[in-house]
Structures are given as structure tokens and as C-alpha cells.
């Protein structure tokens, strides 16, 4: 984030290069059959809304306008202060990290933007037990009940060491929860 102040031209040049690489890679994924492309932005949370838009958001928007598929944006950390700008990128979905309050987030993005998240990948999915996974997933689903534009997922990358039993319980819990609440 200091480089955006100390050397903004360098940051913009690097961003433009990354845009080109990302678009080429995403198009190759689409040609191979991908229907959804997610852009992962690990450091933008360090920026305020104006700096985010100038140094990241515009680039993400340009990337998404060049892709013929569903687009999702994930920024690590508490992006509550960036949610309106994240939605302005044209992302059709926003993947939100564990620290973001999803019910609050739902009120800060357009209803046609899909919210994804945000079960803790480390403390719940990796270090937790299946019963704790089920409890965390049910709690999140209860909190998001009635939010039509929500997909439950992990809040960030799931560590490779996460027990398969926890991942199974995650999926099973979502299926059971949805089946219990399906209209007759």
C-alpha cells in the first residue's frame, strides 16, 4: 500500500501487466470449459475505497468486461469498507473472508450480486472437528436465511491439511439444511 503513495506509476504499470496476464489465463480457462472465473486479490484490503478503486478496482473491472462468464472477486481480510467498490467492479459474485459480517454485507451490495462465504477455513475446516463444522455452517446458514443472493462457502483458501471428514460434513450440512427448508 505504501507504493501507491511512493510510486503510483510503478504500481499502475505492474497492475496493467497483471491485467494482461490474468485475462489471457482466464480466457484459457473459459476455453477449457470454465463457467466461473474468480479473481483473488490478497492485499487490496490495505487500501481505502478511493485508492482501491484507482489501483485495483478499475483493473478488476477491465478484466471482468473482457470475460464471457460469471465473475467473482475475492479480497482477503475485512473488506467491509470496500464492499460498494467491490460491487462496482462488475463482479457478479463477491467471495467474502471470515471476518466480514455477511448479514451486514448483504445490505451493502446490490441484490443481484451473489455473496459467497464465509466459514472459517483454518479454525473450523482445518483445526475443527466435524461437529464444530456442522455447527458453524448451520449458524451461518441461519444468519443468512432469507438472503436470496447467498452461497455458503469457505471464507478463504482451505488448507490442504484440512481433514476430509470436515469437508464432507460441510457439504452434508449444507445439503441437509437446504433439504429441511425446501418448499413443499
Amino acid at each position: 500500500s505504501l507504493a501507491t503513495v511512493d510510486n503510483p506509476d510503478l504500481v499502475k504499470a505492474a497492475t496493467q501487466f497483471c491485467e494482461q496476464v490474468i485475462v489471457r489465463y482466464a480466457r484459457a480457462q473459459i476455453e477449457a470449459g470454465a463457467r466461473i472465473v474468480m479473481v483473488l486479490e490478497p492485499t487490496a484490503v490495505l487500501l481505502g475505497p478511493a485508492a482501491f478503486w484507482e489501483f485495483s478496482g478499475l483493473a478488476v473491472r477491465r478484466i471482468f468486461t473482457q470475460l464471457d462468464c460469471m465473475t467473482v472477486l475475492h479480497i482477503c481480510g475485512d473488506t467491509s469498507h470496500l464492499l460498494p467498490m467491490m460491487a462496482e467492479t462488475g463482479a457478479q459474485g463477491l467471495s467474502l473472508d471470515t471476518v466480514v459480517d455477511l448479514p451486514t454485507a448483504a445490505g451493502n451490495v446490490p441484490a443481484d450480486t451473489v455473496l459467497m462465504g464465509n466459514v472459517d477455513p483454518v479454525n473450523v475446516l482445518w483445526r475443527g472437528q466435524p461437529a464444530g463444522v456442522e455447527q458453524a455452517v448451520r449458524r451461518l446458514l441461519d444468519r443468512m436465511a432469507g438472503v436470496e443472493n447467498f452461497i455458503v462457502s469457505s471464507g478463504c483458501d482451505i488448507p490442504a491439511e484440512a481433514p476430509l471428514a470436515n469437508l464432507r460434513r460441510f457439504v452434508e450440512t449444507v445439503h441437509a439444511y437446504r433439504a429441511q427448508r425446501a418448499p413443499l
Side-chain angles (χ1 to χ4, degrees):
S1 68
L2 289 177
T4 63
V5 175
D6 294 342
N7 200 342
D9 292 336
L10 175 65
V11 173
K12 288 179 182 178
T15 301
Q16 288 173 348
F17 174 76
C18 290
E19 276 181 60
Q20 295 169 2
V21 172
I22 291 168
V23 168
R24 286 180 61 199
Y25 181 65
R27 285 182 176 159
Q29 289 179 317
I30 294 166
E31 287 176 22
R35 297 185 316 204
I36 301 171
V37 170
M38 181 182 290
V39 169
L40 309 173
E41 223 297 12
T43 60
V45 72
L46 301 173
L47 303 172
F52 165 74
W53 191 249
E54 181 179 356
F55 294 101
S56 181
L58 280 170
V60 171
R61 182 183 200 135
R62 287 189 296 266
I63 291 166
F64 288 162
T65 61
Q66 297 179 61
L67 303 179
D68 188 25
C69 67
M70 181 177 180
T71 55
V72 177
L73 175 61
H74 176 84
I75 300 176
C76 298
D78 187 355
T79 54
S80 300
H81 67 293
L82 297 177
L83 287 174
M85 296 281 101
M86 290 171 68
E88 288 293 318
T89 65
Q92 294 162 302
L94 301 178
S95 169
L96 303 179
D97 209 335
T98 303
V99 294
V100 176
D101 182 71
L102 282 180
T104 302
N108 290 318
V109 298
D112 63 347
T113 301
V114 175
L115 291 177
M116 300 169 60
N118 66 355
V119 175
D120 188 324
V122 174
N123 294 311
V124 174
L125 297 176
W126 176 29
R127 295 185 179 146
Q129 299 295 315
V133 171
E134 181 173 345
Q135 182 182 31
V137 171
R138 284 186 171 278
R139 184 173 38 247
L140 178 58
L141 288 167
D142 284 343
R143 291 185 71 221
M144 294 301 286
V147 178
E148 297 293 322
N149 57 328
F150 171 65
I151 298 173
V152 64
S153 71
S154 65
C156 204
D157 291 343
I158 299 171
E161 302 84 4
L164 187 55
N166 285 354
L167 302 180
R168 280 192 183 117
R169 183 66 65 93
F170 179 100
V171 172
E172 290 166 355
T173 301
V174 173
H175 287 296
Y177 188 93
R178 299 283 189 214
Q180 290 172 350
R181 285 162 176 69
L184 300 176

